[in-house]
Amino acid sequence: DTGVSQDPRHKITKRGQNVTFRCDPISEHNRLYWYRQTLGQGPEFLTYFQNEAQLEKSRLLSDRFSAERPKGSFSTLEIQRTEQGDSAMYLCASSDGTGGRGYGYTFGSGTRLTVV
Amino acid sequence: AQKITQTQPGMFVQEKEAVTLDCTYDTSDQSYGLFWYKQPSSGEMIFLIYQGSYDEQNATEGRYSLNFQKARKSANLVISASQLGDSAMYFCAMRERTQGGSEKLVFGKGTKLTVNP
């Protein structure tokens, strides 16, 4: 069990470009979450997958954002036509939903996006 | 309305002393869970402690304990014997049901803890 992996750790992009982030959850976890954390704030929920199904999307997830989890394994979060307001830390978390220590939530180290 | 309130933007504590980080929450659910996470400058969210709403005893995990006062809707984190490595951001979070029937974590704005030698 290597935990939740996110790639890349850092991304600098020019305004208007598209970016894609990847999250590899803990293998036996069927639930996967994306959160966004802006400077000085706590993480905010973006979207939730149970296996390959995207069951919940926050209103924060504008049309420029799309997330997938093909085959219920890794997930990708794509931002099209990036804006400076998209600069944030994007955190991925996974859980098995069965409770236990920490209620099973495990976070990745995040992808820090800077839009210039 | 904020669901998780952390009123202390920053806290300072001397090494080896205890410190309490405040958290109040707002929910109408009977079943909920409260978490504390530590976030060092590297960015990862490190789980510290969890308290379920039906748990009768306050949760403890090593040097961390959660002072759960259900009637006051508070879930303060107590760190005993502070260490220099405890310097980080600390977030209180609540597990809540979404309209779609799933669940998510709702976070407060965090408290920056600085441990002085």
Side-chain angles (χ1 to χ4, degrees), chain A residues 9 31 33 35 37 40-45 48 55-56 89 91 100-103 105 107-110 112, chain B residues 35 37 39 41-45 47-48 50 61 91 95 98-110:
Chain A
R9 290 295 309 276
R31 300 181 178 193
Y33 306 80
Y35 288 81
Q37 185 179 19
Q41 302 294 319
E44 294 176 290
F45 171 78
Y48 160 67
L55 298 183
E56 198 84 28
M89 173 78 87
L91 290 161
R101 189 174 182 273
Y103 219 77
Y105 287 98
F107 279 84
S109 296
R112 191 177 297 276
Chain B
F35 301 74
Y37 287 90
Q39 187 178 44
S41 56
S42 57
E44 61 188 303
M45 299 290 283
F47 166 77
L48 296 178
Y50 171 79
E61 292 266 359
F91 290 95
R95 175 174 55 88
T98 66
Q99 288 186 341
S102 57
E103 62 178 40
K104 65 180 181 183
L105 296 181
V106 178
F107 288 83
K109 292 188 175 184

Side-chain angles (χ1 to χ4, degrees), chain A residues 1-66:
Chain A
D1 178 4
T2 57
V4 177
S5 299
Q6 290 189 246
D7 184 69
R9 290 295 309 276
H10 302 274
K11 178 71 176 179
I12 300 174
T13 190
K14 291 184 179 179
R15 186 165 55 91
Q17 297 293 306
N18 299 344
V19 293
T20 300
F21 311 140
R22 178 180 170 123
C23 171
D24 286 272
I26 291 174
S27 56
E28 58 267 27
H29 285 183
N30 61 348
R31 300 181 178 193
L32 188 146
Y33 306 80
W34 285 97
Y35 288 81
R36 181 174 70 184
Q37 185 179 19
T38 54
L39 202 62
Q41 302 294 319
E44 294 176 290
F45 171 78
L46 290 179
T47 190
Y48 160 67
F49 289 87
Q50 184 159 330
N51 299 311
E52 67 275 9
Q54 187 175 20
L55 298 183
E56 198 84 28
K57 288 197 294 186
S58 162
R59 58 180 171 79
L60 293 176
L61 216 63
S62 75
D63 291 344
R64 297 184 297 105
F65 288 70
S66 62

Side-chain angles (χ1 to χ4, degrees), chain B residues 81-106:
Chain B
S82 297
Q83 302 172 355
L84 295 177
D86 293 336
S87 293
M89 285 293 293
Y90 287 80
F91 290 95
C92 180
M94 179 172 64
R95 175 174 55 88
E96 73 166 16
R97 290 284 173 193
T98 66
Q99 288 186 341
S102 57
E103 62 178 40
K104 65 180 181 183
L105 296 181
V106 178

